[in-house]
Amino acid sequence: MTVVALLDWRSPEHFDHTGDQPCVICTKPTPLRSDRGKPVHKVCAEEWIDSHTAKEDDE
């Protein structure tokens, strides 16, 4: 079974009404912001977390 990170970005702080910025991962425009205020798509952030989190079988 594969565990996938699912972020809860329903909070209005994750949407920037001032306009789109390039996603820090894929560079496509997004109005979404990370918890640290960086422009990033939710899907891009979830994929980044999955690929950068140590798994049980990693040593």
Side-chain angles (χ1 to χ4, degrees):
M1 182 165 115
T2 303
V3 177
V4 177
L6 293 176
L7 300 173
D8 180 0
W9 281 12
R10 289 179 281 186
S11 170
E13 291 83 28
H14 289 287
F15 187 84
D16 187 348
H17 294 280
T18 63
D20 290 354
Q21 295 285 325
C23 174
V24 296
I25 297 174
C26 75
T27 70
K28 293 179 182 173
T30 181
L32 299 176
R33 302 295 182 262
S34 70
D35 289 341
R36 296 183 178 177
K38 302 290 184 186
V40 64
H41 296 103
K42 181 179 176 286
V43 173
C44 291
E46 291 168 342
E47 288 177 3
W48 188 91
I49 290 168
D50 285 341
S51 65
H52 290 86
T53 300
K55 308 291 187 244
E56 256 185 53
D57 53 347
D58 290 346
E59 302 211 14

